[in-house]
């Protein structure tokens, strides 16, 4: 058992629905508990507002009208009972004392920066470039990198973003996926012409472009079927060959979505690190993705099909080729399925401990 350090993760407001960045923090929290750490999670109320306005608004929302949409529970992920949760935090007294405190997003960084020293040594877990597509100004995001917190990034592209902002070289902490949830259950061979695609309201995910690509592919591959999935309702009306699953469970993703698809289409233009890409690889789907940071940390030309982000024709042509050439698809998919196995929480977790202990 390790030294019983107290670690507090400061999160954005909780709306109790699946978010990749939240999932990574939750998995680290559970893992750290298993290693003997005392872990807490504090959910911000409205860190972008002024303190007085936030306090007043919280009183109105939570105590008078109860209009707040900020949930005081997490039901979509199984957190260990030992983890203590604090909701709607604004003032420093709302946050528990700790040895280590992590900001987990741009709008929590300044909040953590202002916390007194008894709240813990300050770290900033940077999971995405929260400027374009996140409603923030570039200068605001770059300023968060220069607050004096120890910056920790999940991808090499994010490291460059931090350096370009004039901040010190950050710590690198690559992501992982849950090997108990995602693995090869259905053979890669002999799959039908099925492609899966994430449905998301965030424009940088480019669901609309993905659907346009697939409609063009359908003209050449008439028996194409599409499995669309996500936490949000479809962004547009869907044809009967596009099937939508809302809030799919890990089992559904592994068996019915990734696990039945030949291809997982990932047309994003901005990613921190694409968890769904690793999950798809582990489940036996070939990743056809934009060649962007956050994907290329684990995807390459040997284990995936990478396309220039705005080359729609290249997306269409590569997908059609992979659907027609089973031999090539199977070979590349097997390579991806094998390569992705190296991304395990034990390896990332041990690196995280070294980071907070100042060993790397």
């Amino acid at each position: 058992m390790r030294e019983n350090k107290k670690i507090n993760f400061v999160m954005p407001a909780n709306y109790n629905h699946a978010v990749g960045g939240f999932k990574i923090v939750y998995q680290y929290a559970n893992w750290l508990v298993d290693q003997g750490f005392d872990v807490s999670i504090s959910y911000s109320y409205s860190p972008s507002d002024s303190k007085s306005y936030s306090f007043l608004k919280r009183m109105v929302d939570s105590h008078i009208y109860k209009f707040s949409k900020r949930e005081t529970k997490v039901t979509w992920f199984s957190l260990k009972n030992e983890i203590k949760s604090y909701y709607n935090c604004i003032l420093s007294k709302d946050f528990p004392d700790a040895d280590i405190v992590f900001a987990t997003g741009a709008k929590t960084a300044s909040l953590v920066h202002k916390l007194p020293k008894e709240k813990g040594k300050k770290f900033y877990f940077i999971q995405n470039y929260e400027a374009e597509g996140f409603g923030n100004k570039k200068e605001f995001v770059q300023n968060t990198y220069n607050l004096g917190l120890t910056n920790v990034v999940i991808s090499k592209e994010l490291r460059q973003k931090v350096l370009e902002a004039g901040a010190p070289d950050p710590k690198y902490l690559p992501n992982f996926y849950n090997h108990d949830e995602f693995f090869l259950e259905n053979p890669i061979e002999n799959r039908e012409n099925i492609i899966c695609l994430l449905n998301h309201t965030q424009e940088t995910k480019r669901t609309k472009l993905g659907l346009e690509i697939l409609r063009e592919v359908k003209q050449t591959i008439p028996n194409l079927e599409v499995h669309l999935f996500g936490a949000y309702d479809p962004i547009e009306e869907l044809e009967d060959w596009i099937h939508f699953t809302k809030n799919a469970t890990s089992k559904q993703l592994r068996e019915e979505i990734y696990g039945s698809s030949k291809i997982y289409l990932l047309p994003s233009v901005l990613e921190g690190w694409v968890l769904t890409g690793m999950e798809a690889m582990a489940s036996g789907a070939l990743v056809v993705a934009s060649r962007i940071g956050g994907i290329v940390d684990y995807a390459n030309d040997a284990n995936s099909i990478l396309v220039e982000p705005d080359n729609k024709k290249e997306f269409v042509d590569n997908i059609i080729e992979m659907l027609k050439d089973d031999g090539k698809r199977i070979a590349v998919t097997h390579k991806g399925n094998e390569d992705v196995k190296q991304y395990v929480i034990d390896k990332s977790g041990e690196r995280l401990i070294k980071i907070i202990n100042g060993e790397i």
Side-chain angles (χ1 to χ4, degrees):
M1 196 69 81
R2 299 177 189 268
E3 178 188 355
N4 188 25
K5 279 189 175 178
K6 294 182 179 180
I7 299 180
N8 181 33
F9 291 99
V10 176
M11 307 286 280
N14 173 41
Y15 292 95
N16 194 31
H17 61 70
V19 179
F22 278 54
K23 183 176 182 179
I24 286 291
V25 172
Y26 290 163
Q27 288 176 97
Y28 274 130
N30 280 349
W31 186 86
L32 287 165
V33 165
D34 288 341
Q35 311 311 307
F37 289 82
D38 184 340
V39 180
S40 58
I41 299 175
S42 302
Y43 298 92
S44 312
Y45 180 77
S46 188
S48 60
D49 292 336
S50 70
K51 190 174 289 186
S52 59
Y53 174 75
S54 296
F55 182 76
L56 176 62
K57 190 172 189 299
R58 181 177 66 167
M59 292 298 292
V60 171
D61 279 358
S62 302
H63 299 286
I64 301 175
Y65 296 112
K66 301 186 185 300
F67 285 163
S68 177
K69 294 181 180 179
R70 293 157 177 81
E71 296 280 356
T72 54
K73 60 185 177 182
V74 174
T75 58
W76 65 270
F77 187 94
S78 181
L79 285 167
K80 289 185 177 291
N81 293 331
E82 296 91 336
I83 296 171
K84 295 174 283 294
S85 297
Y86 302 83
Y87 295 92
N88 297 328
C89 300
I90 301 173
L91 306 175
S92 61
K93 68 181 181 64
D94 297 333
F95 298 87
D97 291 351
D99 300 302
I100 303 292
V101 59
F102 268 94
T104 60
K107 290 184 178 179
T108 64
S110 59
L111 188 62
V112 168
H113 170 63
K114 294 172 185 175
L115 290 176
K117 63 181 181 180
E118 59 265 25
K119 301 304 175 180
K121 186 178 179 182
K122 298 169 182 178
F123 292 79
Y124 180 12
F125 187 38
I126 302 169
Q127 300 190 73
N128 213 327
Y129 184 58
E130 296 181 63
E132 298 94 340
F134 286 83
N136 299 318
K137 292 182 179 179
K138 180 180 178 181
E139 293 76 17
F140 166 76
V141 175
Q142 290 183 331
N143 287 340
T144 67
Y145 301 157
N146 288 282
L147 290 171
L149 287 65
T150 299
N151 294 323
V152 181
V153 297
I154 63 172
S155 74
K156 293 171 184 175
E157 183 182 59
L158 285 171
R159 175 179 177 268
Q160 288 303 314
K161 294 289 187 186
V162 171
L163 292 175
E164 288 167 8
D169 198 358
K171 310 299 182 183
Y172 179 54
L173 183 65
N175 268 352
F176 56 89
Y177 70 95
N178 189 333
H179 290 232
D180 293 328
E181 290 181 338
F182 298 100
F183 50 87
L184 191 58
E185 188 157 314
N186 300 324
I188 291 169
E189 298 77 12
N190 301 319
R191 294 192 179 192
E192 301 296 325
N193 284 334
I194 298 172
I195 297 176
C196 53
L197 172 71
L198 176 67
N199 178 75
H200 207 289
T201 56
Q202 191 171 308
E203 289 187 4
T204 57
K205 302 290 186 183
R206 301 206 298 186
T207 300
K208 187 175 185 296
L209 174 63
L211 290 171
E212 290 173 5
I213 290 167
L214 294 173
R215 288 179 178 121
E216 289 194 24
V217 172
K218 178 76 170 177
Q219 295 174 18
T220 303
I221 310 291
N223 65 345
L224 176 69
E225 299 267 321
V226 171
H227 287 326
L228 191 67
F229 66 96
Y232 304 91
D233 291 328
I235 62 172
E236 58 188 72
E237 191 172 343
L238 304 175
E239 297 89 328
D240 59 7
W241 51 274
I242 303 176
H243 316 286
F244 175 66
T245 304
K246 188 173 184 179
N247 296 323
T249 64
S250 298
K251 187 173 187 293
Q252 285 177 303
L253 287 166
R254 183 182 69 245
E255 293 180 356
E256 302 167 18
I257 299 175
Y258 303 139
S260 70
S261 299
K262 284 186 176 180
I263 290 171
Y264 175 43
L265 174 58
L266 230 171
S268 301
V269 72
L270 176 69
E271 293 283 356
W273 181 295
V274 193
L275 289 175
T276 55
M278 289 197 298
E279 293 168 356
M281 282 183 170
S283 304
L286 169 64
V287 169
V288 177
S290 302
R291 190 187 297 273
I292 59 171
I295 291 175
V296 297
D297 278 60
Y298 64 86
N300 55 56
D301 291 323
N303 64 25
S304 308
I305 303 296
L306 299 177
V307 178
E308 292 310 307
D310 294 319
N311 196 330
K312 183 177 174 182
K313 183 178 185 301
E314 191 179 351
F315 269 111
V316 172
D317 290 347
N318 275 281
I319 290 171
I320 291 172
E321 180 187 359
M322 289 299 100
L323 293 179
K324 288 184 172 182
D325 187 345
D326 252 4
K328 184 174 181 180
R329 174 189 66 84
I330 290 167
V332 178
T333 306
H334 272 296
K335 174 68 173 165
N337 181 257
E338 191 60 36
D339 286 355
V340 80
K341 290 176 182 176
Q342 67 182 289
Y343 297 99
V344 295
I345 191 170
D346 287 340
K347 187 184 294 186
S348 295
E350 292 294 341
R351 187 172 178 86
L352 173 62
I353 291 172
K354 288 181 179 179
I355 289 170
I356 63 178
N357 286 337
E359 297 171 19
I360 55 175

